[in-house]
Amino acid sequence: MRLLSVIGKRFSRNRLSVIGAITVTCLIILSLLAPFVSPYDPTAIDVHNVLSPPSKAHPLGTDELGRDVLSRMIWGSRVSLKVGFVAVGIALLIGIIIGAIAGFYGGKVDAVLMRFVDIMLAFPTFFLILAVIAILEPSIFTIMVVIGVTSWMDVARLVRAEFLTLKERDFVIAARSLGAGDLRLIFWHILPNALSPVFVAATFGVAGAILIESGLSFLGLGVQPPNPSWGNILTAGKDNIEVAWWLSLYPGLAILITVLSYNLVGEGLRDALDPRLWEAERH
Amino acid sequence: MHLYIARRLLLMIPLIFGITIITFTVIHLAPGGPVEVQTEMSLKASAQARDNLKKLYGLDKPLHVQYFDWLKRFAKLDFGKSFVDGRKVIDKIFERIPVTLTINILSLILIFIVAIPIGVLSATKQYSLFDKISTVFVFVGFSTPAFWLALLLMILFGVNLGLLPISGIQSIDVSEMGPFERLVDWIKHLILPVGISAFGGIAGLSRYSRSSMLEVIRQDYIRTARAKGLKESEVVFKHAFRNALMPIVTILGLSVPGLIGGGVIFETIFAIPGMGQLFYAATMSRDYPTIMGILVIGAILTLIGNLIADISYALVDPRIRVRK
């Protein structure tokens, strides 16, 4: 607990990161409350109000089918949130397991697993994601899985590096001599101590996943219309680029603000959790 | 040094095997396989026709036989023929490379010209106003979806101001232009694509060169240089800058795959007939030979890029050469 409050204090020293954290919290609340705060039904078509510019009735205008852009963006925030968290969750699960096994056992196991990581890193990620999605059916579920399965490599490397040093430490040797098995050593003793770089990577990962999702939906390979996502509103923006600037401006701004907030939180966490800085502070 | 290079080359062999296996597996995950795609349009396609197609692509053989057949042809740079138009995949790829390569080389040059001075300047004046502004720029740069930026600039310069064209790489009436007009036309078409594809890279590289420079400035030999009374400009450019450049050299090697890869989204937006657009079209029509060809070439280029990065780093930094 004392540790948490110290981390909190160090985090709150970075003003930009605090702003990022507040924005992220607001976005999460907004997306949870989407049914209550969104002024219109996001899929309600209104043929009399097609492509109308921002006005009092529609603060962010309407799209090519007369749907309210603000409502679609509020509902779209759910997509970003879901994709960000689930994709990163999958990446963490794979990355932690592979990294932990590689770092804990070392030797041949480590060599094989790390070559696998190298192979995965060699692929142009976006091309690989596109290929897999084209083969499977494009949907929010496919996207989450595919982004997760193609973005665990950094986590694996981080966890492995932590395990390599931690497994030699006295507390691990002590636990082992008391008869703790491999599983207990890995998950109970070592993993909790290896998590801080993982938290940081996860935060940046959410930002990256949201960016990728928006790109995929923009290409028509993500969330399928009529369901709204920030990316597929931008597709409408591109199709109506000569007449409806609001369709391009606002969803992109939402992506920028969201991704920026997660990145700022990640940066703040990195500083707050960096043990080297802790040492410096004590002196 | 030779030993180092030889070892690195040997290490690449299992990696290339892994890459081909993964690519092959991904493609064969497809429910129904490639034949379904070709026949799903015409429901009337008889079982006979399907069998014929399967035989044509060798899909009636066991998977591992298919894999080794594919690998053998791949070693001869034969990626087979496109499902869409029956042309050789390798030809389709090669005709797309010049456009993508031009845009990416231009944007890489732009990135280096803009980002390195920004990084060096904000490192030498750490915590100054310039440093703070460039840090904010870096974060915004990392977080901006490039395709959104492209849309905004298209609206501004293409639609509202009417200054720049918003799609393609040449005007329709290009054949009636003189050589100079052609050049102007070409430049006008390239400004937005090159600028936007450089945007994210500028953010990344300026951050990278900033931290590289900061690292060097803390070294003892810089303190020595200052202590013996050298001018600050001499310390920064002669002593610090050259050493800070070394890790940046590796970035050049790491950029190699991106040079050919190109941005899918961004080539689609600007209607640029490059590699990204080819890949997008291939995935949309499930043109498996083309997808496999581009994936494998892309991955192998990444490996080669990494190799170049490591070797060039060893070349410029004697410390690494000696250790290895």
Side-chain angles (χ1 to χ4, degrees):
Chain A
M1 272 303 110
R2 220 187 70 103
L3 187 71
L4 273 185
S5 78
V6 174
I7 292 172
K9 207 179 279 171
R10 293 171 48 89
F11 183 85
S12 60
R13 221 176 285 162
N14 188 335
R15 235 178 306 153
L16 281 175
S17 301
V18 174
I19 297 175
I22 294 171
T23 317
V24 165
T25 317
C26 291
L27 281 165
I28 293 175
I29 295 173
L30 186 72
S31 68
L32 290 177
L33 294 181
F36 308 105
V37 292
S38 114
Y40 297 86
D41 175 354
T43 53
I45 294 171
D46 178 0
V47 283
H48 301 292
N49 260 320
V50 171
L51 290 177
S52 65
S55 61
K56 264 198 185 131
H58 300 280
L60 303 184
T62 63
D63 69 3
E64 78 282 9
L65 295 172
R67 297 173 295 198
D68 181 54
V69 173
L70 177 63
S71 308
R72 288 183 73 70
M73 279 177 51
I74 293 175
W75 281 88
S77 70
R78 291 190 152 192
V79 172
S80 304
L81 197 72
K82 234 191 274 179
V83 172
F85 279 87
V86 177
V88 168
I90 294 172
L92 286 186
L93 193 70
I94 304 175
I96 287 177
I97 290 176
I98 290 191
I101 293 175
F104 186 79
Y105 292 106
K108 276 199 185 118
V109 180
D110 180 36
V112 170
L113 287 176
M114 284 304 112
R115 286 302 80 72
F116 182 48
V117 168
D118 288 343
I119 291 169
M120 288 299 291
L121 281 174
F123 281 104
T125 317
F126 201 75
F127 278 23
L128 188 62
I129 293 177
L130 274 187
V132 178
I133 290 180
I135 288 165
L136 309 169
E137 283 295 298
S139 73
I140 182 170
F141 177 74
T142 320
I143 290 197
M144 295 189 295
V145 174
V146 175
I147 296 179
V149 168
T150 49
S151 60
W152 52 269
M153 291 82 79
D154 287 336
V155 177
R157 285 186 160 180
L158 287 172
V159 173
R160 170 183 175 268
E162 291 290 312
F163 266 68
L164 280 180
T165 54
L166 285 170
K167 72 173 178 188
E168 312 284 348
R169 296 271 291 272
D170 289 342
F171 71 91
V172 178
I173 297 168
R176 194 194 290 275
S177 59
L178 285 173
D182 285 357
L183 276 182
R184 191 173 168 83
L185 283 176
I186 290 176
F187 289 105
W188 188 256
H189 294 280
I190 305 183
L191 190 58
N193 292 293
L195 282 182
S196 46
V198 176
F199 278 129
V200 178
T203 318
F204 288 125
V206 173
I210 292 175
L211 269 183
I212 295 177
E213 182 277 323
S214 67
L216 289 171
S217 292
F218 178 74
L219 286 175
L221 290 168
V223 177
Q224 298 297 307
N227 295 323
S229 89
W230 294 341
N232 70 24
I233 305 174
L234 281 169
T235 316
K238 183 196 164 236
D239 295 340
N240 300 291
I241 192 165
E242 315 226 333
V243 284
W245 53 267
W246 56 92
L247 280 179
S248 293
L249 180 64
Y250 298 121
L253 208 55
I255 300 171
L256 169 60
I257 291 171
T258 310
V259 173
L260 184 61
S261 304
Y262 279 103
N263 279 336
L264 289 173
V265 172
E267 190 75 6
L269 273 183
R270 173 154 61 197
D271 292 344
L273 294 172
D274 189 346
R276 276 176 303 169
L277 298 179
W278 286 68
E279 286 300 316
E281 204 158 278
R282 207 175 294 163
H283 297 300
Chain B
M1 188 69 198
H2 291 295
L3 200 71
Y4 174 64
I5 296 177
R7 217 176 49 196
R8 283 297 324 258
L9 279 173
L10 272 181
L11 255 178
M12 273 174 69
I13 295 171
L15 293 185
I16 289 178
F17 262 100
I19 286 166
T20 55
I21 289 177
I22 289 184
T23 308
F24 190 80
T25 319
V26 163
I27 299 302
H28 285 79
L29 279 178
V35 169
E36 285 304 313
V37 183
Q38 284 216 324
T39 50
E40 73 187 358
M41 294 301 160
S42 55
L43 289 169
K44 283 183 210 147
S46 63
Q48 179 67 37
R50 284 173 196 225
D51 284 347
N52 283 344
L53 269 177
K54 277 195 177 160
K55 228 169 236 154
L56 184 65
Y57 299 129
L59 293 170
D60 51 343
K61 295 177 195 154
L63 268 186
H64 63 274
V65 178
Q66 286 187 41
Y67 170 70
F68 282 109
D69 281 352
W70 175 66
L71 203 61
K72 254 184 256 162
R73 282 185 284 123
F74 163 73
K76 289 179 273 179
L77 281 183
D78 174 11
F79 297 104
K81 287 178 180 158
S82 161
F83 282 177
V84 177
D85 51 12
R87 295 180 51 219
K88 277 189 180 166
V89 170
I90 194 79
D91 293 345
K92 291 183 80 161
I93 292 177
F94 273 122
E95 73 189 16
R96 297 298 184 112
I97 285 181
V99 179
T100 303
L101 203 60
T102 312
I103 292 179
N104 287 333
I105 288 180
L106 288 175
S107 87
L108 195 64
I109 294 172
L110 187 65
I111 291 173
F112 272 76
I113 292 179
V114 178
I116 292 181
I118 293 181
V120 169
L121 209 63
S122 46
T124 49
K125 299 192 161 61
Q126 202 184 359
Y127 304 126
S128 67
L129 184 66
F130 179 81
D131 185 31
K132 278 179 187 148
I133 292 175
S134 72
T135 302
V136 170
F137 163 76
V138 164
F139 269 98
V140 174
F142 274 139
S143 313
T144 308
F147 63 98
W148 175 61
L149 189 67
L151 288 180
L152 290 189
L153 294 180
M154 280 159 87
I155 293 177
L156 181 64
F157 291 107
V159 180
N160 289 353
L161 299 176
L163 284 178
L164 297 169
I166 57 175
S167 85
I169 45 167
Q170 55 186 27
S171 302
I172 305 164
D173 54 349
V174 71
S175 53
E176 291 159 22
M177 294 179 182
F180 178 71
E181 281 173 308
R182 257 187 217 199
L183 183 70
V184 173
D185 180 63
W186 185 72
I187 291 173
K188 271 183 163 178
H189 278 88
L190 285 186
I191 287 179
L192 284 182
V194 169
I196 288 163
S197 76
F199 183 71
I202 290 176
L205 187 66
S206 65
R207 195 67 182 167
Y208 193 78
S209 41
R210 176 181 181 268
S211 52
S212 171
M213 193 73 183
L214 279 178
E215 189 88 5
V216 170
I217 282 179
R218 290 197 201 110
Q219 299 291 323
D220 286 341
Y221 57 82
I222 298 298
R223 195 172 304 142
T224 313
R226 287 211 176 106
K228 72 180 182 188
L230 287 183
K231 271 183 288 179
E232 185 62 20
S233 63
E234 217 161 323
V235 175
V236 168
F237 289 105
K238 262 197 170 157
H239 295 247
F241 183 58
R242 284 172 57 181
N243 285 298
L245 265 185
M246 287 191 302
I248 299 175
V249 169
T250 59
I251 296 281
L252 258 181
L254 296 178
S255 320
V256 170
L259 283 182
I260 313 248
V264 177
I265 307 184
F266 135 118
E267 285 189 0
T268 322
I269 291 187
F270 286 108
I272 293 168
M275 288 285 282
Q277 206 195 41
L278 176 67
F279 191 78
Y280 178 63
T283 53
M284 292 310 271
S285 54
R286 297 202 187 171
D287 184 358
Y288 293 116
T290 312
I291 297 179
M292 286 165 95
I294 297 180
L295 266 186
V296 175
I297 291 182
I300 290 178
L301 278 175
T302 311
L303 290 185
I304 296 175
N306 290 346
L307 182 73
I308 295 175
D310 285 357
I311 292 177
S312 56
Y313 196 58
L315 280 176
V316 292
D317 192 341
R319 285 170 298 188
I320 290 182
R321 234 176 318 172
V322 176
R323 212 186 306 149
K324 290 285 154 75

